Amino acid sequence: MKVYDRERQDWADGRREHDLQTDRDLDLPRQRRVVQRGGMVLAAVGMCFGVWAFGWKDEPEPPPPPTASEQEQEQQQPGTEPSNTGPDPSDTATVAGAALPDGYEEVQDEEGFRIAVPADWTPKHSASQYGIRVVNYSSPDGLRRLQIFQVKEFGPYDSLVIAQEEAAKLDGYERIELGPLEGASDAAAEHEYRASEIAGESDSGTVRHVIDRRFRAADDNRYALVAYGPDNQDSAERELIDTAAAWFCPPTMTCPAPDGS
């Protein structure tokens, strides 16, 4: 006679059912042990979760951030002084051209810009293809001069690269330095060089020292200041160009004087 085995979902005869029943009887203790172990594992997991949840619930919350008044009280505690990371206003040595060098004077040129040059220098104006007229301030002996003109190119450094290509064709050309000024980003750049020939000048028979600075001014236009002089290593051109740049104010603009006057 066949019987239906519900556990195995199959029909079996009586003998087969007897064998299956024997297997089930032998397997029953093992199943009970598995159930017991499973219950113990679940109990342990539940206990750990309860301990964690209880400890997390009782953990103190972080203190709220200090209020503005509390921060002010901390900053004003005795024995502490506020830090000052800015420049010292009394340190005028960090301000380029803070005072005019001896023998220099402030000049309001007829082209509308302000500048500072040696007091006994005279200007000469000539036509320009762009912007203001070209202005040359020259020393009485004619050996030194400062040239001012407006630059058409958008970037000061790009303008100098073009000018350097032309300067490199001069007799005796020797480049000293070419690049943006430190800390000026793309607002200013400088080309310093030596040459025994200068365009627009008669041959003096001496090596000339030139500093060509191009920069973006307060009116957002680009200008050039070019200092020429004998190559005698006396830093005269450096003083000339730095002073002129510090005191330069473009046409139609009002700029504070570097010395505070």
Side-chain angles (χ1 to χ4, degrees):
M1 177 181 177
K2 290 186 177 182
V3 294
Y4 185 73
D5 185 351
R6 294 182 181 275
E7 183 177 350
R8 287 176 169 79
Q9 300 290 308
D10 194 12
W11 289 92
D13 56 19
R15 186 173 180 181
R16 176 63 176 166
E17 179 61 21
H18 179 270
D19 293 340
L20 294 175
Q21 182 63 39
T22 302
D23 293 341
R24 284 194 293 269
D25 293 342
L26 293 174
D27 194 45
L28 184 59
R30 183 183 63 80
Q31 293 177 357
R32 289 176 178 173
R33 289 194 299 272
V34 171
V35 172
Q36 290 175 354
R37 290 176 181 173
M40 293 174 64
V41 171
L42 291 175
V45 172
M47 183 178 296
C48 293
F49 178 78
V51 172
W52 172 82
F54 181 80
W56 171 80
K57 183 178 180 181
D58 292 343
E59 184 178 344
E61 297 182 357
T67 63
S69 59
E70 291 174 344
Q71 292 178 345
E72 292 177 358
Q73 291 176 0
E74 292 178 358
Q75 295 175 355
Q76 295 175 0
Q77 289 180 354
T80 61
E81 296 181 0
S83 60
N84 181 13
T85 57
D88 184 357
S90 63
D91 186 8
T92 58
T94 62
V95 182
L100 281 173
D102 291 342
Y104 279 72
E105 67 177 358
E106 177 185 345
V107 175
Q108 191 69 36
D109 190 86
E110 63 183 59
E111 285 300 300
F113 61 81
R114 183 196 69 192
I115 204 166
V117 294
D120 56 352
W121 286 26
T122 55
K124 181 180 179 180
H125 300 76
S126 58
S128 172
Q129 295 181 352
Y130 178 78
I132 64 173
R133 288 184 297 170
V134 178
V135 185
N136 283 279
Y137 281 85
S138 301
S139 62
D141 58 10
L143 295 178
R144 298 177 62 212
R145 65 185 171 99
L146 176 70
Q147 187 178 68
I148 306 99
F149 58 91
Q150 194 167 340
V151 176
K152 183 177 182 179
E153 293 81 12
F154 183 78
Y157 177 72
D158 295 336
S159 178
L160 275 181
V161 170
I162 297 173
Q164 190 272 339
E165 293 175 353
E166 293 300 317
K169 301 174 183 178
L170 298 172
D171 292 342
Y173 171 81
E174 178 188 354
R175 189 175 79 177
I176 300 174
E177 192 169 356
L178 171 64
L181 291 182
E182 183 178 357
S185 183
D186 65 342
E190 203 170 82
H191 174 211
E192 183 176 5
Y193 63 96
R194 299 184 184 92
S196 56
E197 175 194 13
I198 297 297
E201 289 188 2
S202 57
D203 187 4
S204 63
T206 60
V207 177
R208 306 284 282 162
H209 177 217
V210 183
I211 302 177
D212 186 345
R213 180 180 296 184
R214 308 198 177 191
F215 59 97
R216 189 186 309 275
D219 61 352
D220 205 34
N221 290 317
R222 279 75 58 197
Y223 296 88
L225 297 171
V226 191
Y228 299 88
D231 185 32
N232 52 17
Q233 307 294 327
D234 63 355
S235 301
E237 282 68 59
R238 175 57 58 190
E239 180 184 64
L240 179 62
I241 202 79
D242 287 345
T243 303
W247 284 79
F248 182 83
C249 183
T252 73
M253 297 286 294
T254 300
C255 311
D259 64 356
S261 62

